[in-house]
Amino acid sequence: MQNSKQEYRLEMTGISKSFGVVSVLENVNLRVKPGEIHALLGENGAGKSTLMKILSGVHQKDSGKITLDGVEINPKNTHDGQVLGISVVYQELSLVNDLSVAENIYLHKLGASKFWMNWKQLTAEAQELIDSLGFTINASAKVRSLSIVQKQVVEIAKALSEDTKVLVLDEPTTVFGPIDTQKLFDNLFRLKKKGVSIIYISHHLEEIFKIADSVTVLRDGVDTGSMAVADTDTDGVIRLMIGRELKDLYPARHAEIGEEPIFEVKNLTARDTIVHDVSFSVRPGEVLGVAGLGGSGRTEMAKLIFGAHKKKSGTLYLNGKEIKTDTPVCAVGHQIGFVSEDRKEEGVFLPLSIRRNISMTNFNPISGRLGFINIDHEYKNVLELIEKLKIKTPSSEVNVKNLSGGNQQKVALAKWLSIKSKVILIDEPTRGVDVGAKIEIYNLINAVAQKGVGVVVISSDMPEIMGISDRILVMHKGTIYGELAKEDFSEENILRYSIGQPLKQEQLN
């Protein structure tokens, strides 16, 4: 047996961390070998992100020891971590929207020269790095103009722009479709061959069994086990994560679906995005899935319906009557809700409390005759939603920025569930949400549908979209390319439509 200095690139032993009286990590151990993909799993709030922030220098441990290549390290800030060769791609994007892609990738180099920057060379190097990853993004473009998928790629390129020994990826594929996900995996295998140690955090357990060599599981701030991936299975990992068996990930649907559409979209075309000639309907009680590859126009379509993008032509109908949603205010007035895929930028107000986030969409149910907010009614409504969505928080007054990513997602959902929506558009409902909490959200979607609401769910996760939908629309190049009835659901059929390939009759039941 080799000694630990030779066997492991990174060792974190006995790591403990508390914030005030709240213990977040207790005696946690994590060991990663050179050239290893090591999965770090756990429910939201289990301590995964805190452990990685200690590694990168964002937080300082209360106790324990960290060694890198056999040398003890104590990074005091993120700069220390970067100098040591620790690169982290966090779940929440941290790009500067008004800078170019190249400037974001090499942000650490800006100002390094005492005289001038060679902008042409900087942009060329950034373009070469992005091209090497297999993605098509203009390095000169402003980050603000990019899709969320492209922004995620820029974050990864930024992490790889330095001499990296340990690469941490926190939920990197939540916005990726299957093709982009495979591109990422190919890059990870390439880095693995170069000896880079990769710590991979994901709630997509099927990814772990495709790419990881080892896995460590956290539950409530304690590591419950580390093992080779070959020595376990999905059920074994889930037991370690949540302490119980997990059956029926996609709950049975019992909603009664109406005969006539509650909401119709006819020939909808955007003024400034790729969305064109989109037509579909959703019935009360129905969960309508929308699939498609990144860049197919799924999110842009939802924003167009909600009034966040400008319409060129087309008509919307609610209960058979034509409506206008030229702005989000108009959409909300017609009781149409929208849960954005980008919760940090568009889904929640991070500096505000959970209570304020949930209440702001609709003050009518919690206001008296003169328009003043009835505090008792507000708290009752907010606390009911916190309990229903199982948002982990000691109080409704906690600012949303202090919640884990998954709990922020639940607040984004709660915000729109606080109004009596007739139609709700949900973009990536379980992005960054752990396997246990996913069931809670699926049950919630089912409960909303049972009330006769028309639910439109956009998801990059094909098992998810098949598991929760009654019908699936597939987008390609900005329009609806195909529609699948439940008996025709399959990953192959969705992918064929996604790449613009028609299905043969024998591929449909």
mmCIF file of all heavy atoms in Angstrom, residues 442-481:
data_model
loop_
_atom_site.group_PDB
_atom_site.id
_atom_site.type_symbol
_atom_site.label_atom_id
_atom_site.label_comp_id
_atom_site.label_asym_id
_atom_site.label_seq_id
_atom_site.Cartn_x
_atom_site.Cartn_y
_atom_site.Cartn_z
ATOM 1 N N TYR A 442 -42.351 17.249 -7.668
ATOM 2 C CA TYR A 442 -43.240 16.529 -8.588
ATOM 3 C C TYR A 442 -44.638 16.392 -7.988
ATOM 4 O O TYR A 442 -45.649 16.547 -8.688
ATOM 5 C CB TYR A 442 -42.676 15.141 -8.902
ATOM 6 C CG TYR A 442 -41.335 15.142 -9.596
ATOM 7 C CD1 TYR A 442 -40.440 14.081 -9.418
ATOM 8 C CD2 TYR A 442 -40.946 16.189 -10.428
ATOM 9 C CE1 TYR A 442 -39.205 14.078 -10.052
ATOM 10 C CE2 TYR A 442 -39.713 16.188 -11.058
ATOM 11 C CZ TYR A 442 -38.846 15.126 -10.862
ATOM 12 O OH TYR A 442 -37.619 15.114 -11.482
ATOM 13 N N ASN A 443 -44.692 16.081 -6.687
ATOM 14 C CA ASN A 443 -45.997 15.989 -6.022
ATOM 15 C C ASN A 443 -46.719 17.328 -6.055
ATOM 16 O O ASN A 443 -47.945 17.387 -6.215
ATOM 17 C CB ASN A 443 -45.820 15.532 -4.570
ATOM 18 C CG ASN A 443 -45.669 14.028 -4.445
ATOM 19 O OD1 ASN A 443 -46.289 13.272 -5.176
ATOM 20 N ND2 ASN A 443 -44.819 13.581 -3.528
ATOM 21 N N LEU A 444 -45.952 18.402 -5.909
ATOM 22 C CA LEU A 444 -46.533 19.740 -5.929
ATOM 23 C C LEU A 444 -47.086 20.068 -7.315
ATOM 24 O O LEU A 444 -48.182 20.627 -7.444
ATOM 25 C CB LEU A 444 -45.474 20.758 -5.525
ATOM 26 C CG LEU A 444 -45.972 22.141 -5.124
ATOM 27 C CD1 LEU A 444 -46.871 22.050 -3.910
ATOM 28 C CD2 LEU A 444 -44.802 23.046 -4.834
ATOM 29 N N ILE A 445 -46.335 19.724 -8.357
ATOM 30 C CA ILE A 445 -46.819 19.936 -9.723
ATOM 31 C C ILE A 445 -48.109 19.162 -9.953
ATOM 32 O O ILE A 445 -49.069 19.674 -10.524
ATOM 33 C CB ILE A 445 -45.729 19.517 -10.742
ATOM 34 C CG1 ILE A 445 -44.562 20.518 -10.706
ATOM 35 C CG2 ILE A 445 -46.308 19.432 -12.157
ATOM 36 C CD1 ILE A 445 -43.357 20.096 -11.531
ATOM 37 N N ASN A 446 -48.145 17.918 -9.468
ATOM 38 C CA ASN A 446 -49.365 17.119 -9.590
ATOM 39 C C ASN A 446 -50.535 17.754 -8.844
ATOM 40 O O ASN A 446 -51.671 17.775 -9.333
ATOM 41 C CB ASN A 446 -49.133 15.703 -9.062
ATOM 42 C CG ASN A 446 -48.258 14.874 -9.984
ATOM 43 O OD1 ASN A 446 -48.010 15.262 -11.124
ATOM 44 N ND2 ASN A 446 -47.788 13.734 -9.502
ATOM 45 N N ALA A 447 -50.253 18.270 -7.646
ATOM 46 C CA ALA A 447 -51.309 18.900 -6.839
ATOM 47 C C ALA A 447 -51.848 20.148 -7.531
ATOM 48 O O ALA A 447 -53.056 20.409 -7.513
ATOM 49 C CB ALA A 447 -50.772 19.255 -5.456
ATOM 50 N N VAL A 448 -50.956 20.924 -8.151
ATOM 51 C CA VAL A 448 -51.389 22.112 -8.894
ATOM 52 C C VAL A 448 -52.268 21.707 -10.067
ATOM 53 O O VAL A 448 -53.323 22.301 -10.323
ATOM 54 C CB VAL A 448 -50.155 22.911 -9.377
ATOM 55 C CG1 VAL A 448 -50.577 24.007 -10.361
ATOM 56 C CG2 VAL A 448 -49.429 23.537 -8.202
ATOM 57 N N ALA A 449 -51.856 20.659 -10.799
ATOM 58 C CA ALA A 449 -52.639 20.188 -11.940
ATOM 59 C C ALA A 449 -54.007 19.690 -11.490
ATOM 60 O O ALA A 449 -55.022 19.912 -12.186
ATOM 61 C CB ALA A 449 -51.887 19.082 -12.663
ATOM 62 N N GLN A 450 -54.066 19.029 -10.322
ATOM 63 C CA GLN A 450 -55.343 18.508 -9.826
ATOM 64 C C GLN A 450 -56.356 19.614 -9.542
ATOM 65 O O GLN A 450 -57.561 19.367 -9.515
ATOM 66 C CB GLN A 450 -55.115 17.669 -8.567
ATOM 67 C CG GLN A 450 -54.687 16.241 -8.869
ATOM 68 C CD GLN A 450 -54.600 15.393 -7.615
ATOM 69 O OE1 GLN A 450 -53.716 15.592 -6.789
ATOM 70 N NE2 GLN A 450 -55.515 14.460 -7.468
ATOM 71 N N LYS A 451 -55.852 20.835 -9.344
ATOM 72 C CA LYS A 451 -56.750 21.971 -9.124
ATOM 73 C C LYS A 451 -57.281 22.549 -10.437
ATOM 74 O O LYS A 451 -57.959 23.572 -10.436
ATOM 75 C CB LYS A 451 -56.025 23.060 -8.337
ATOM 76 C CG LYS A 451 -55.700 22.650 -6.905
ATOM 77 C CD LYS A 451 -54.960 23.758 -6.169
ATOM 78 C CE LYS A 451 -54.641 23.353 -4.741
ATOM 79 N NZ LYS A 451 -53.883 24.416 -4.015
ATOM 80 N N GLY A 452 -56.934 21.914 -11.573
ATOM 81 C CA GLY A 452 -57.430 22.367 -12.862
ATOM 82 C C GLY A 452 -56.547 23.383 -13.551
ATOM 83 O O GLY A 452 -56.941 24.003 -14.546
ATOM 84 N N VAL A 453 -55.322 23.566 -13.042
ATOM 85 C CA VAL A 453 -54.376 24.492 -13.660
ATOM 86 C C VAL A 453 -53.739 23.820 -14.875
ATOM 87 O O VAL A 453 -53.488 22.614 -14.874
ATOM 88 C CB VAL A 453 -53.283 24.901 -12.645
ATOM 89 C CG1 VAL A 453 -52.232 25.796 -13.301
ATOM 90 C CG2 VAL A 453 -53.913 25.595 -11.444
ATOM 91 N N GLY A 454 -53.473 24.586 -15.928
ATOM 92 C CA GLY A 454 -52.697 24.080 -17.055
ATOM 93 C C GLY A 454 -51.226 24.283 -16.756
ATOM 94 O O GLY A 454 -50.790 25.411 -16.542
ATOM 95 N N VAL A 455 -50.455 23.198 -16.701
ATOM 96 C CA VAL A 455 -49.047 23.270 -16.307
ATOM 97 C C VAL A 455 -48.171 22.947 -17.517
ATOM 98 O O VAL A 455 -48.326 21.897 -18.139
ATOM 99 C CB VAL A 455 -48.730 22.287 -15.160
ATOM 100 C CG1 VAL A 455 -47.276 22.426 -14.730
ATOM 101 C CG2 VAL A 455 -49.663 22.522 -13.977
ATOM 102 N N VAL A 456 -47.260 23.857 -17.828
ATOM 103 C CA VAL A 456 -46.293 23.643 -18.915
ATOM 104 C C VAL A 456 -44.909 23.547 -18.282
ATOM 105 O O VAL A 456 -44.451 24.487 -17.636
ATOM 106 C CB VAL A 456 -46.327 24.794 -19.947
ATOM 107 C CG1 VAL A 456 -45.316 24.539 -21.063
ATOM 108 C CG2 VAL A 456 -47.733 24.956 -20.526
ATOM 109 N N VAL A 457 -44.249 22.399 -18.446
ATOM 110 C CA VAL A 457 -42.954 22.155 -17.823
ATOM 111 C C VAL A 457 -41.887 22.000 -18.898
ATOM 112 O O VAL A 457 -42.018 21.160 -19.792
ATOM 113 C CB VAL A 457 -42.975 20.895 -16.936
ATOM 114 C CG1 VAL A 457 -41.587 20.608 -16.385
ATOM 115 C CG2 VAL A 457 -43.964 21.065 -15.790
ATOM 116 N N ILE A 458 -40.840 22.818 -18.811
ATOM 117 C CA ILE A 458 -39.692 22.719 -19.707
ATOM 118 C C ILE A 458 -38.570 22.035 -18.942
ATOM 119 O O ILE A 458 -38.273 22.410 -17.810
ATOM 120 C CB ILE A 458 -39.230 24.118 -20.154
ATOM 121 C CG1 ILE A 458 -40.346 24.833 -20.908
ATOM 122 C CG2 ILE A 458 -37.973 24.029 -21.020
ATOM 123 C CD1 ILE A 458 -40.078 26.317 -21.122
ATOM 124 N N SER A 459 -37.944 21.022 -19.544
ATOM 125 C CA SER A 459 -36.867 20.327 -18.843
ATOM 126 C C SER A 459 -35.859 19.748 -19.833
ATOM 127 O O SER A 459 -36.231 19.261 -20.900
ATOM 128 C CB SER A 459 -37.428 19.210 -17.967
ATOM 129 O OG SER A 459 -36.378 18.508 -17.320
ATOM 130 N N SER A 460 -34.575 19.823 -19.437
ATOM 131 C CA SER A 460 -33.494 19.198 -20.201
ATOM 132 C C SER A 460 -33.301 17.744 -19.803
ATOM 133 O O SER A 460 -32.567 17.014 -20.461
ATOM 134 C CB SER A 460 -32.174 19.947 -19.958
ATOM 135 O OG SER A 460 -32.287 21.296 -20.269
ATOM 136 N N ASP A 461 -33.932 17.350 -18.707
ATOM 137 C CA ASP A 461 -33.780 16.007 -18.143
ATOM 138 C C ASP A 461 -34.837 15.100 -18.780
ATOM 139 O O ASP A 461 -36.018 15.172 -18.434
ATOM 140 C CB ASP A 461 -33.956 16.088 -16.625
ATOM 141 C CG ASP A 461 -33.669 14.772 -15.921
ATOM 142 O OD1 ASP A 461 -33.879 13.715 -16.541
ATOM 143 O OD2 ASP A 461 -33.253 14.805 -14.749
ATOM 144 N N MET A 462 -34.419 14.247 -19.703
ATOM 145 C CA MET A 462 -35.401 13.439 -20.437
ATOM 146 C C MET A 462 -36.162 12.457 -19.554
ATOM 147 O O MET A 462 -37.375 12.319 -19.702
ATOM 148 C CB MET A 462 -34.732 12.745 -21.621
ATOM 149 C CG MET A 462 -34.458 13.698 -22.776
ATOM 150 S SD MET A 462 -34.201 12.876 -24.361
ATOM 151 C CE MET A 462 -32.490 12.396 -24.167
ATOM 152 N N PRO A 463 -35.514 11.732 -18.618
ATOM 153 C CA PRO A 463 -36.310 10.884 -17.721
ATOM 154 C C PRO A 463 -37.351 11.695 -16.943
ATOM 155 O O PRO A 463 -38.477 11.231 -16.731
ATOM 156 C CB PRO A 463 -35.259 10.280 -16.790
ATOM 157 C CG PRO A 463 -34.006 10.267 -17.600
ATOM 158 C CD PRO A 463 -34.069 11.525 -18.412
ATOM 159 N N GLU A 464 -36.988 12.909 -16.531
ATOM 160 C CA GLU A 464 -37.915 13.753 -15.798
ATOM 161 C C GLU A 464 -39.104 14.158 -16.656
ATOM 162 O O GLU A 464 -40.251 14.040 -16.239
ATOM 163 C CB GLU A 464 -37.197 15.004 -15.296
ATOM 164 C CG GLU A 464 -38.115 16.033 -14.642
ATOM 165 C CD GLU A 464 -37.343 17.208 -14.054
ATOM 166 O OE1 GLU A 464 -36.946 17.104 -12.889
ATOM 167 O OE2 GLU A 464 -37.136 18.209 -14.774
ATOM 168 N N ILE A 465 -38.831 14.640 -17.864
ATOM 169 C CA ILE A 465 -39.911 15.129 -18.722
ATOM 170 C C ILE A 465 -40.865 13.992 -19.083
ATOM 171 O O ILE A 465 -42.072 14.187 -19.208
ATOM 172 C CB ILE A 465 -39.346 15.836 -19.983
ATOM 173 C CG1 ILE A 465 -40.355 16.856 -20.540
ATOM 174 C CG2 ILE A 465 -38.953 14.870 -21.049
ATOM 175 C CD1 ILE A 465 -40.453 18.115 -19.751
ATOM 176 N N MET A 466 -40.316 12.778 -19.214
ATOM 177 C CA MET A 466 -41.182 11.628 -19.499
ATOM 178 C C MET A 466 -41.932 11.183 -18.250
ATOM 179 O O MET A 466 -43.066 10.717 -18.328
ATOM 180 C CB MET A 466 -40.352 10.467 -20.048
ATOM 181 C CG MET A 466 -39.784 10.711 -21.440
ATOM 182 S SD MET A 466 -39.011 9.250 -22.178
ATOM 183 C CE MET A 466 -37.559 9.066 -21.131
ATOM 184 N N GLY A 467 -41.297 11.333 -17.090
ATOM 185 C CA GLY A 467 -41.892 10.848 -15.849
ATOM 186 C C GLY A 467 -43.034 11.689 -15.335
ATOM 187 O O GLY A 467 -43.904 11.178 -14.624
ATOM 188 N N ILE A 468 -43.074 12.994 -15.675
ATOM 189 C CA ILE A 468 -44.090 13.865 -15.089
ATOM 190 C C ILE A 468 -45.119 14.380 -16.088
ATOM 191 O O ILE A 468 -46.117 14.977 -15.690
ATOM 192 C CB ILE A 468 -43.450 15.077 -14.381
ATOM 193 C CG1 ILE A 468 -42.737 15.990 -15.380
ATOM 194 C CG2 ILE A 468 -42.483 14.624 -13.302
ATOM 195 C CD1 ILE A 468 -42.190 17.264 -14.754
ATOM 196 N N SER A 469 -44.898 14.141 -17.388
ATOM 197 C CA SER A 469 -45.765 14.762 -18.404
ATOM 198 C C SER A 469 -46.877 13.836 -18.873
ATOM 199 O O SER A 469 -46.727 12.609 -18.885
ATOM 200 C CB SER A 469 -44.929 15.190 -19.620
ATOM 201 O OG SER A 469 -43.909 16.080 -19.255
ATOM 202 N N ASP A 470 -47.975 14.447 -19.302
ATOM 203 C CA ASP A 470 -49.052 13.717 -19.965
ATOM 204 C C ASP A 470 -48.840 13.692 -21.477
ATOM 205 O O ASP A 470 -49.308 12.789 -22.173
ATOM 206 C CB ASP A 470 -50.406 14.382 -19.662
ATOM 207 C CG ASP A 470 -50.724 14.364 -18.186
ATOM 208 O OD1 ASP A 470 -50.785 13.259 -17.613
ATOM 209 O OD2 ASP A 470 -50.887 15.443 -17.597
ATOM 210 N N ARG A 471 -48.126 14.701 -21.962
ATOM 211 C CA ARG A 471 -47.859 14.863 -23.389
ATOM 212 C C ARG A 471 -46.572 15.658 -23.515
ATOM 213 O O ARG A 471 -46.273 16.481 -22.650
ATOM 214 C CB ARG A 471 -49.037 15.633 -24.011
ATOM 215 C CG ARG A 471 -49.138 15.645 -25.511
ATOM 216 C CD ARG A 471 -50.554 16.097 -25.939
ATOM 217 N NE ARG A 471 -51.072 17.221 -25.214
ATOM 218 C CZ ARG A 471 -51.098 18.487 -25.678
ATOM 219 N NH1 ARG A 471 -50.595 18.769 -26.870
ATOM 220 N NH2 ARG A 471 -51.616 19.447 -24.951
ATOM 221 N N ILE A 472 -45.784 15.441 -24.563
ATOM 222 C CA ILE A 472 -44.521 16.154 -24.719
ATOM 223 C C ILE A 472 -44.453 16.815 -26.089
ATOM 224 O O ILE A 472 -44.695 16.170 -27.118
ATOM 225 C CB ILE A 472 -43.310 15.207 -24.551
ATOM 226 C CG1 ILE A 472 -43.251 14.641 -23.130
ATOM 227 C CG2 ILE A 472 -41.999 15.938 -24.869
ATOM 228 C CD1 ILE A 472 -42.147 13.617 -22.929
ATOM 229 N N LEU A 473 -44.121 18.120 -26.083
ATOM 230 C CA LEU A 473 -43.787 18.835 -27.303
ATOM 231 C C LEU A 473 -42.267 18.904 -27.394
ATOM 232 O O LEU A 473 -41.595 19.096 -26.382
ATOM 233 C CB LEU A 473 -44.347 20.252 -27.283
ATOM 234 C CG LEU A 473 -45.849 20.415 -27.015
ATOM 235 C CD1 LEU A 473 -46.206 21.895 -26.946
ATOM 236 C CD2 LEU A 473 -46.673 19.710 -28.080
ATOM 237 N N VAL A 474 -41.726 18.753 -28.598
ATOM 238 C CA VAL A 474 -40.271 18.824 -28.787
ATOM 239 C C VAL A 474 -39.956 19.978 -29.727
ATOM 240 O O VAL A 474 -40.502 20.052 -30.828
ATOM 241 C CB VAL A 474 -39.706 17.510 -29.355
ATOM 242 C CG1 VAL A 474 -38.180 17.585 -29.412
ATOM 243 C CG2 VAL A 474 -40.141 16.322 -28.509
ATOM 244 N N MET A 475 -39.082 20.885 -29.270
ATOM 245 C CA MET A 475 -38.717 22.049 -30.067
ATOM 246 C C MET A 475 -37.398 21.823 -30.804
ATOM 247 O O MET A 475 -36.493 21.155 -30.314
ATOM 248 C CB MET A 475 -38.620 23.299 -29.192
ATOM 249 C CG MET A 475 -39.944 23.741 -28.625
ATOM 250 S SD MET A 475 -39.881 25.409 -27.906
ATOM 251 C CE MET A 475 -39.701 26.422 -29.392
ATOM 252 N N HIS A 476 -37.327 22.422 -31.990
ATOM 253 C CA HIS A 476 -36.111 22.376 -32.812
ATOM 254 C C HIS A 476 -36.066 23.659 -33.632
ATOM 255 O O HIS A 476 -37.035 24.013 -34.314
ATOM 256 C CB HIS A 476 -36.140 21.148 -33.727
ATOM 257 C CG HIS A 476 -35.020 21.106 -34.732
ATOM 258 N ND1 HIS A 476 -33.702 20.956 -34.366
ATOM 259 C CD2 HIS A 476 -35.034 21.211 -36.094
ATOM 260 C CE1 HIS A 476 -32.952 20.952 -35.460
ATOM 261 N NE2 HIS A 476 -33.728 21.111 -36.520
ATOM 262 N N LYS A 477 -34.970 24.389 -33.492
ATOM 263 C CA LYS A 477 -34.759 25.633 -34.240
ATOM 264 C C LYS A 477 -35.913 26.620 -34.092
ATOM 265 O O LYS A 477 -36.390 27.210 -35.059
ATOM 266 C CB LYS A 477 -34.497 25.334 -35.712
ATOM 267 C CG LYS A 477 -33.165 24.621 -35.957
ATOM 268 C CD LYS A 477 -32.877 24.462 -37.439
ATOM 269 C CE LYS A 477 -31.489 23.839 -37.656
ATOM 270 N NZ LYS A 477 -31.161 23.654 -39.085
ATOM 271 N N GLY A 478 -36.397 26.755 -32.854
ATOM 272 C CA GLY A 478 -37.342 27.811 -32.544
ATOM 273 C C GLY A 478 -38.801 27.520 -32.760
ATOM 274 O O GLY A 478 -39.652 28.400 -32.569
ATOM 275 N N THR A 479 -39.137 26.289 -33.123
ATOM 276 C CA THR A 479 -40.547 25.970 -33.324
ATOM 277 C C THR A 479 -40.845 24.559 -32.814
ATOM 278 O O THR A 479 -39.934 23.791 -32.496
ATOM 279 C CB THR A 479 -40.926 26.100 -34.815
ATOM 280 O OG1 THR A 479 -42.351 26.130 -34.942
ATOM 281 C CG2 THR A 479 -40.350 24.965 -35.646
ATOM 282 N N ILE A 480 -42.119 24.205 -32.732
ATOM 283 C CA ILE A 480 -42.521 22.874 -32.293
ATOM 284 C C ILE A 480 -42.313 21.917 -33.457
ATOM 285 O O ILE A 480 -42.996 22.015 -34.482
ATOM 286 C CB ILE A 480 -43.992 22.835 -31.837
ATOM 287 C CG1 ILE A 480 -44.295 23.894 -30.774
ATOM 288 C CG2 ILE A 480 -44.355 21.434 -31.341
ATOM 289 C CD1 ILE A 480 -43.592 23.701 -29.463
ATOM 290 N N TYR A 481 -41.365 20.985 -33.294
ATOM 291 C CA TYR A 481 -41.056 20.062 -34.396
ATOM 292 C C TYR A 481 -41.882 18.785 -34.321
ATOM 293 O O TYR A 481 -42.207 18.182 -35.336
ATOM 294 C CB TYR A 481 -39.571 19.721 -34.379
ATOM 295 C CG TYR A 481 -39.134 18.948 -35.598
ATOM 296 C CD1 TYR A 481 -38.784 19.614 -36.769
ATOM 297 C CD2 TYR A 481 -39.083 17.548 -35.587
ATOM 298 C CE1 TYR A 481 -38.399 18.908 -37.899
ATOM 299 C CE2 TYR A 481 -38.700 16.838 -36.714
ATOM 300 C CZ TYR A 481 -38.356 17.524 -37.867
ATOM 301 O OH TYR A 481 -37.983 16.826 -38.985
#
